[in-house]
Amino acid sequence: MRLLVQGRGLWQVAAMLTLPNLLTLSRIFTVPLLVALLWPAEVGARWTTGYALAFALYCLMGITDYFDGYLARAQGAVSRLGIFLDPIADKIMVGAVILMLAATRDIAGIHIAAAMIILLREIAVSGLREFLAGLQVSVPVSRLAKWKTAFQLIALGALILAGAVPHFPFVQLTGIATLWAAAILTLITGWDYLRVGIKHMD
């Protein structure tokens, strides 16, 4: 009987390891490598090769983010594990990149405020979603929230690329401009989520 239970447990684990879920897990496990590529800049070494490799890795992670959702829907393999892991993978990646870019001073001065708005919103919305899930209340992702995510990904990608091509200052300016655009949309969409949550907090 014990062997049967163990076998069933292994089968359940294997069943959860679908290609979409493996792609999502790969994003999580790749974050330390992304941080390592940016780390020399944190101690003052302007290693453009590291930034270039980090940008390539960041783009690859973005591609897997698209394909894990696409494959899950196309194959009818949307799972609870995937629904759980996908937003976590996104938030880990965004949080790690923001912290590293702040440490390397690629995001500095007043622009830290925009980065903090994004980071704090990610934490707050995660907590709010968990609270509402306990009440069996779902909060659909709005079109504006998708725009926020797009600006956010472009901003962080541009700021990483700027370290690889310091002789093209417009790349850094593009990253900072889209970072602020993402921060503004973050405030708007964050308020929308909070307004829904307040209705269930009586």
Side-chain angles (χ1 to χ4, degrees):
M1 182 67 178
R2 185 177 178 182
L3 291 174
L4 180 61
V5 172
Q6 289 178 340
R8 183 179 178 185
L10 292 173
W11 178 83
Q12 288 176 330
V13 171
M16 289 190 294
L17 295 179
T18 60
L19 180 57
N21 288 345
L22 288 173
L23 289 174
T24 302
L25 286 169
S26 73
R27 294 211 311 280
I28 296 174
F29 292 135
T30 305
V31 167
L33 178 57
L34 183 64
V35 169
L37 289 171
L38 296 172
W39 195 269
E42 193 273 334
V43 295
R46 301 304 295 181
W47 184 31
T48 56
T49 302
Y51 276 100
L53 292 173
F55 177 71
L57 185 60
Y58 179 84
C59 291
L60 181 61
M61 293 168 78
I63 292 170
T64 62
D65 186 19
Y66 169 78
F67 275 106
D68 62 12
Y70 173 79
L71 290 173
R73 292 187 297 271
Q75 297 176 355
V78 177
S79 65
R80 291 180 180 178
L81 179 64
I83 294 171
F84 168 72
L85 285 178
D86 189 62
I88 289 178
D90 293 341
K91 287 171 174 53
I92 290 175
M93 183 180 74
V94 168
V97 172
I98 285 177
L99 290 175
M100 283 307 302
L101 291 177
T104 57
R105 299 194 64 77
D106 290 293
I107 301 175
I110 189 63
H111 307 305
I112 288 289
M116 288 302 297
I117 288 171
I118 293 171
L119 193 57
L120 292 175
R121 184 266 191 190
E122 294 295 334
I123 296 171
V125 169
S126 293
L128 183 60
R129 281 185 175 276
E130 184 176 351
F131 166 74
L132 293 175
L135 300 176
Q136 296 184 336
V137 176
S138 62
V139 183
V141 178
S142 66
R143 184 180 297 273
L144 202 59
K146 292 179 180 179
W147 277 105
K148 183 274 301 181
T149 300
F151 276 119
Q152 183 174 285
L153 293 176
I154 292 170
L156 298 181
L159 290 170
I160 294 173
L161 180 61
V165 289
H167 44 290
F168 293 117
F170 73 88
V171 178
Q172 173 79 10
L173 292 175
T174 299
I176 292 298
T178 48
L179 184 72
W180 277 104
I184 292 169
L185 291 178
T186 287
L187 290 173
I188 296 171
T189 57
W191 169 246
D192 288 339
Y193 284 120
L194 182 60
R195 187 170 52 188
V196 172
I198 288 175
K199 294 178 183 179
H200 301 276
M201 292 182 183
D202 51 0

